[in-house]
């Protein structure tokens, strides 16, 4: 009797194993459905954001066309083609990000940039006009936290406009600057500029 029960249990286990091999997707079907729903929701949000960015850029290119070419009904086909091509190209060369701009932080960035430009410009002029030429030129390595690509390029371009500092390249993932006086707190000033830039444009 016991041997018969054991044989019956083994037969059931074999049937279950065969069913699992033939239909592995049946296991945890509910969980997979939930994950698929989450992915669909994320995809819908991403597509909506992409359309919003595309609409904004198309409006910008339309305004640019009107400024350069004026209003002429005969130019509508050419304008539509040019705006579509420009929008498509911009979306591929400058992909939309999840960063949000901050108006107040952008104002603070502009004010900080103007302040440091004036201070640095006066300092450079003073050193150039001083008969003793109190200069200590050299290179400073700045360990930026910005990723390679657009963000780091924007930061390097912004800081290159400040008198007395010029980005010359990268070394081990860090930006190398040529400075007129390496004794000045160049790294601290660059860190302040980077922090203001991140808060203004890259508020992820």
């Amino acid at each position: 009797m016991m041997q018969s029960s054991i044989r019956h249990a083994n037969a059931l286990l074999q049937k279950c194993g065969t069913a699992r091999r033939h239909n592995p997707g049946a296991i945890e079907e509910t969980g997979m459905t939930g994950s698929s729903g989450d992915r669909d929701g994320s995809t819908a949000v991403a597509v909506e954001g992409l359309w919003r960015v595309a609409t904004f850029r198309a409006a910008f290119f339309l305004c640019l066309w009107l400024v350069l070419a004026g209003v002429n009904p005969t130019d509508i086909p050419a304008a539509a083609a040019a705006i579509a091509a420009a929008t498509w190209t911009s979306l591929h060369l400058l992909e939309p990000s999840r960063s949000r701009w901050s108006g107040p932080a952008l104002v603070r960035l502009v004010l900080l940039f103007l302040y440091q430009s004036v201070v640095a410009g006066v300092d450079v002029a003073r050193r150039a006009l001083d008969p003793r030429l109190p200069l200590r030129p050299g290179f400073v390595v700045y360990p930026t936290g910005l990723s390679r690509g657009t963000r780091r390029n924007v930061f390097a371009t912004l800081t290159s406009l400040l008198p007395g500092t010029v980005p010359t390249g990268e070394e081990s993932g860090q930006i190398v600057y040529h400075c007129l006086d390496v004794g000045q707190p160049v790294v601290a000033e660059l860190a302040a500029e980077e922090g203001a830039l991140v808060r203004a444009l890259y508020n992820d």
Side-chain angles (χ1 to χ4, degrees):
M1 186 72 177
M2 183 176 295
Q3 293 179 352
S4 177
S5 300
I6 292 175
R7 285 195 299 270
H8 182 66
N10 289 334
L12 289 176
L13 290 174
Q14 291 176 358
K15 289 182 180 179
C16 290
T18 303
R20 178 175 295 183
R21 287 193 301 269
H22 286 291
N23 192 13
I27 302 172
E28 298 180 356
E29 182 178 353
T30 304
M32 293 179 63
T33 303
S35 301
S36 177
D38 294 340
R39 288 194 299 269
D40 293 341
S42 301
T43 303
V45 173
V47 171
E48 181 181 358
L50 181 62
W51 275 108
R52 187 183 301 112
V53 173
T55 302
F56 175 80
R57 295 186 183 183
F60 169 78
F61 290 126
L62 173 61
C63 295
L64 184 61
W65 176 277
L66 294 177
V67 170
L68 297 177
V71 180
N72 190 345
T74 59
D75 293 338
I76 292 179
I83 292 171
T87 303
W88 182 87
T89 303
S90 72
L91 291 175
H92 282 73
L93 296 181
L94 185 60
E95 296 182 357
S97 65
R98 298 181 180 179
S99 302
R100 298 186 301 273
W101 289 18
S102 172
L106 185 59
V107 173
R108 289 193 292 269
L109 173 63
V110 173
L111 294 177
L112 177 63
F113 176 78
L114 293 177
Y115 169 77
Q116 290 191 352
S117 297
V118 172
V119 172
V122 172
D123 182 69
V124 170
R126 179 186 64 81
R127 294 174 185 274
L129 297 176
D130 193 327
R132 297 169 298 177
L133 289 177
L135 301 176
R136 296 173 56 192
F139 294 91
V140 173
V141 178
Y142 177 67
T144 179
L146 297 172
S147 59
R148 293 178 182 271
T150 303
R151 297 189 177 193
R152 186 173 295 190
N153 293 338
V154 169
F155 175 69
T157 302
L158 179 66
T159 53
S160 68
L161 301 177
L162 296 175
T165 58
V166 178
T168 60
E170 293 189 8
E171 180 179 327
S172 301
Q174 301 174 341
I175 304 178
V176 180
Y177 286 87
H178 180 269
C179 309
L180 292 179
D181 188 355
V182 295
Q184 296 296 314
V186 178
V187 173
E189 294 175 357
L190 292 174
E193 284 286 343
E194 180 179 346
L197 177 66
V198 170
R199 289 188 294 271
L201 301 182
Y202 305 126
N203 186 20
D204 295 336

